[in-house]
Amino acid sequence: MQDLNKIVIAIDGHSSCGKSTLAKDLAKELGYIYIDTGAMYRAITLFFLDKEIDYSRPEFCNVALKQIEISFKNVGGENLVCLNGEIVEDQIRTSRVANDVSEVAALASVRDFLKLQQQQMGKDKGIVMDGRDIGSVIFPHAELKFFVTASLSVRARRRFDELIGKGSEVSLTDVSKNLKKRDTIDSTRAVAPLIKAEDAVEIDNSNLNKEEQLELALGFAKSRLKHAITI
Ligand code: DC
């Protein structure tokens, strides 16, 4: 029997808009599982780069995908992405991976490879999943969908601060250029482009802090849960 305290929460939005922070915080508050689908695309990109796969060639890409297993390992309450059993959280957050990931995520074979896996993860509900096509393609019937936005300058500054904090040597201009490039590829690709699902709640967090954003989203989640219990 379905647990009425569990729904699927889909969160989509542009790069570095704070959706992962929101997804993680919401999952923690509700006792749900959090899945970062961007990390799955990044792990595949890491494999392609490390093995020097010419992923623009479908035949090479398909052979390589057969050698990839993506999973998550819970360490200290956090779900860390694994590539063929090895935790690769740090390796997937580098600019090397960031520079190629949108092109990899635009490939139909890569998206097909991850789609079923992501849908399977949500079959028992009680999940918060973030990405670009979660509310539109992966869980079109999710009980609650958010579309998170923030201005490009706010997003670039947040990403820049994060990278500098990790010791990377980057410039704000380069970070902003990379975000803009990824926004364009993610929104204009032929397969599962980033779009706001019609029934998604839009949250522009340009002027919200982490706590204000969570409070706003929790309000929606609680009202959907109440609705799920009373119908
Ligand atoms: O959220 P992120 O920046 O870690 O995502 C990395 C890339 O993967 C980004 O270019 C968009 C793409 N992506 C996607 O196409 N679909 C998803 N569900 C998640 C991420």
Side-chain angles (χ1 to χ4, degrees):
M1 205 178 77
Q2 196 206 314
D3 181 348
L4 291 177
N5 286 312
K6 289 186 173 177
I7 59 173
V8 171
I9 303 181
I11 305 187
D12 293 301
H14 291 108
S15 299
S16 298
C17 68
K19 59 188 184 312
S20 302
T21 305
L22 175 62
K24 251 185 237 173
D25 289 350
L26 261 182
K28 202 168 167 200
E29 282 290 327
L30 298 169
Y32 281 16
I33 292 166
Y34 163 57
I35 297 293
D36 171 1
T37 60
M40 301 170 89
Y41 288 98
R42 285 169 179 268
I44 292 177
T45 306
L46 177 68
F47 183 91
F48 287 171
L49 293 174
D50 282 352
K51 304 279 181 208
E52 296 181 5
I53 311 285
D54 178 2
Y55 56 79
S56 65
R57 302 266 300 269
E59 65 276 30
F60 294 157
C61 183
N62 290 335
V63 170
L65 284 173
K66 291 201 173 74
Q67 298 161 28
I68 297 179
E69 197 219 357
I70 307 287
S71 57
F72 287 89
K73 201 176 265 177
N74 193 295
V75 179
E78 282 218 33
N79 252 349
L80 307 181
V81 74
C82 300
L83 171 62
N84 293 332
E86 187 202 341
I87 295 175
V88 288
E89 275 295 327
D90 290 340
Q91 296 94 306
I92 62 165
R93 308 286 167 197
T94 56
S95 340
R96 175 177 166 247
V97 170
N99 286 337
D100 274 41
V101 66
S102 286
E103 270 132 46
V104 170
L107 301 169
S109 56
V110 171
R111 303 205 74 82
D112 282 348
F113 176 77
L114 290 180
K115 184 177 174 181
L116 268 182
Q117 215 174 317
Q118 291 166 356
Q119 288 175 332
Q120 192 64 18
M121 289 172 171
K123 74 175 179 2
D124 295 327
K125 305 200 177 219
I127 192 168
V128 183
M129 188 174 274
D130 81 0
R132 304 294 186 290
D133 61 341
I134 311 305
S136 54
V137 174
I138 305 299
F139 295 119
H141 303 298
E143 288 85 353
L144 180 57
K145 301 176 186 177
F146 289 110
F147 189 83
V148 185
T149 65
S151 68
L152 179 66
S153 59
V154 167
R155 291 188 288 129
R157 165 59 65 179
R158 286 180 188 154
R159 183 83 188 117
F160 173 75
D161 289 346
E162 192 185 326
L163 288 168
I164 293 291
K166 283 183 185 160
S168 301
E169 282 181 25
V170 286
S171 72
L172 184 58
T173 315
D174 285 348
V175 170
S176 178
K177 270 192 204 153
N178 175 264
L179 282 183
K180 215 168 161 190
K181 179 181 144 206
R182 279 161 61 190
D183 285 356
T184 307
I185 301 177
D186 295 343
S187 309
T188 57
R189 67 180 174 223
V191 193
L194 169 66
I195 45 159
K196 175 180 172 293
E198 248 176 45
D199 51 350
V201 176
E202 184 163 335
I203 296 182
D204 182 338
N205 64 23
S206 302
N207 297 307
L208 296 180
N209 65 28
K210 183 171 140 48
E211 289 75 25
E212 290 165 335
Q213 169 173 252
L214 174 62
E215 198 182 326
L216 184 64
L218 256 185
F220 284 101
K222 285 181 180 161
S223 104
R224 292 299 148 94
L225 275 165
K226 218 190 297 165
H227 180 68
I229 288 165
T230 48
I231 52 172

